[in-house]
Amino acid sequence: MLQIEIDNGSGFCFGVTTAIKKAEEELAKDKTLYCLGDIVHNGMECERLRQMGLVTINHEEMERLHDVKVLLRAHGEPPETYELARRNNIEIIDATCPVVLKLQKRIKEQFEAPSGAVEGATIVIFGKKGHAEVLGLVGQTDGNAVVIESFEEVKKLDFSHDIYLFSQTTKSLDEFHRITEYIQSHIAPTATFRSFDTICRSVANRMPNITEFASRHDLILFVCGRKSSNGKVLFSECHRVNPNSYLIEGPEEIDPAWLKGISTIGICGATSTPKWLMEQCRDAITITVNQ
């Protein structure tokens, strides 16, 4: 008999859950609420909220709005966004994740500290260039921070000056430690180096969990929006552990051929994957095998 298990460790993280709850609460009071960017990197959840009245906008569209409510998602925003809201009399519903807010504050304090203003000092952010969270972090330094996406890019830094290293909250803990060790071993004797481990543990701890989960099943269905950075990292680990792993956005992408000769199926997802969507995938498999 086919066994299907949904990973209890998958699904929305605290920040995303809070953002969606705030959106639902505001939409219960007003018919329209604007959201700056996709509230979550999952098309089906975005569509559910769109049907409730959530309107997704970009920064250019926000500049043309006045006297409305705009929700800021969990990723956070740079200071310019708050200034724009003030000028246009926009009420901000701030759903920035507390972990991201704390990181923004630490980077801003470091940038404004006397040591952060030393000529040649570099604030480095390990993160994905152009990612919403990273744009918000760089904004705390008036655009002066250096963003590196991978271990290879750390070699391009100037090690003759002070370096202060931070990380996007959802990056790999192992890679962050590699980058830290490399800078420590290459920084000039006359320069100062400090690293700040700002990776969210509720996200980082999902890696060992997903590794164990993927190893237990014949087939892994990783349910995730293809825009999700966190999803790409977690799915890559699933596929490494279990090559019979497939990334799908919803039940309609499940290929019945994958189910042949399979005894156990594991369904898991990213921090942007709603539990109801994983349950839909489980139900779709059940219907398929019983036909």
Side-chain angles (χ1 to χ4, degrees), residues 102-169:
K102 184 178 179 181
L103 172 54
Q104 287 182 345
K105 183 180 179 183
R106 292 179 72 174
I107 290 176
K108 185 176 180 65
E109 289 175 347
Q110 183 60 61
F111 178 68
E112 294 178 345
S115 58
V118 173
E119 186 176 355
T122 305
I123 290 179
V124 178
I125 298 171
F126 171 43
K128 183 179 179 181
K129 294 168 185 171
H131 188 281
E133 181 188 325
V134 174
L135 292 176
L137 300 180
V138 173
Q140 308 306 314
T141 69
D142 295 334
N144 289 294
V146 173
V147 179
I148 59 173
E149 288 195 332
S150 66
F151 174 77
E152 290 304 313
E153 292 186 26
V154 73
K155 300 173 184 178
K156 300 176 184 177
L157 296 177
D158 182 352
F159 299 105
S160 63
H161 295 289
D162 295 354
I163 293 177
Y164 302 93
L165 175 68
F166 297 85
S167 175
Q168 179 182 345
T169 58

Side-chain angles (χ1 to χ4, degrees), residues 32 74 77 92 121 129 152 179 187 210 214 232 247 256 260 268:
T32 301
E77 284 290 321
I92 291 293
K129 294 168 185 171
E152 290 304 313
I179 289 170
I187 194 79
I210 212 87
K232 289 174 184 175
L247 189 151
K260 293 179 180 178
C268 50

Side-chain angles (χ1 to χ4, degrees), residues 166-180:
F166 297 85
S167 175
Q168 179 182 345
T169 58
T170 54
K171 293 298 284 183
S172 162
L173 194 57
D174 289 342
E175 193 165 15
F176 177 78
H177 288 155
R178 283 185 71 202
I179 289 170
T180 299

